[in-house]
Amino acid sequence: QVQLVESGGGLVQPGGSLRLSCAASGSLFGMYTMGWYRQAPEKERELVATITPVGSTYYVDSVKGRFTISRGYAENTVYLQMNSVKAEDTAVYYCNFRSWNQNYWGQGTQVTVSS
């Protein structure tokens, strides 16, 4: 049984930084694309960033140049470094591990950007 656990969310002021972490417990087999999604109140869940097994990254336009996704040394971890955050970044952030036949989600961590 694989479980993903996010951490690092919280309250941050506009312009500040936050680092989200996601660690998988259990046995992961094969190669996974890791990603971060977010869901703001009354909005649909949206893709924020992904990183493939070979390190290729993708970012939604609204976070390009501000957020950085990376994989940990242990291949079961993924991070999201959030810099220059804005009020519109406020959302619940979810990590996702996806392979050709498996798809895992974390429980989410709240990020609130407010002064």
Side-chain angles (χ1 to χ4, degrees):
Q1 185 79 10
V2 174
Q3 289 187 322
L4 305 185
V5 179
E6 299 104 336
S7 61
L11 175 64
V12 59
Q13 292 187 343
S17 297
L18 210 59
R19 189 190 194 207
L20 304 184
S21 301
C22 174
S25 61
S27 298
L28 290 171
F29 298 100
M31 296 186 294
Y32 290 79
T33 290
M34 300 176 179
W36 288 94
Y37 292 71
R38 65 186 179 187
Q39 187 166 18
E42 301 181 358
K43 291 189 176 180
E44 294 187 353
R45 188 174 298 189
E46 69 166 345
L47 174 63
V48 176
T50 59
I51 184 165
T52 69
V54 295
S56 298
T57 57
Y58 163 84
Y59 298 94
V60 68
D61 285 347
S62 59
V63 307
K64 283 181 180 177
R66 300 189 298 122
F67 291 8
T68 303
I69 189 171
S70 61
R71 303 171 78 108
Y73 179 77
E75 286 299 315
N76 63 341
T77 56
V78 64
Y79 304 99
L80 185 69
Q81 178 67 42
M82 306 168 61
N83 297 330
S84 303
V85 297
K86 304 175 181 179
E88 50 264 44
D89 295 322
T90 295
V92 178
Y93 284 71
Y94 300 88
C95 68
N96 172 261
F97 284 22
R98 177 173 48 85
S99 70
W100 70 275
N101 64 341
Q102 294 176 312
N103 194 24
Y104 301 107
W105 290 93
Q107 82 289 350
T109 185
Q110 176 70 47
V111 172
T112 302
V113 182
S114 175
S115 55

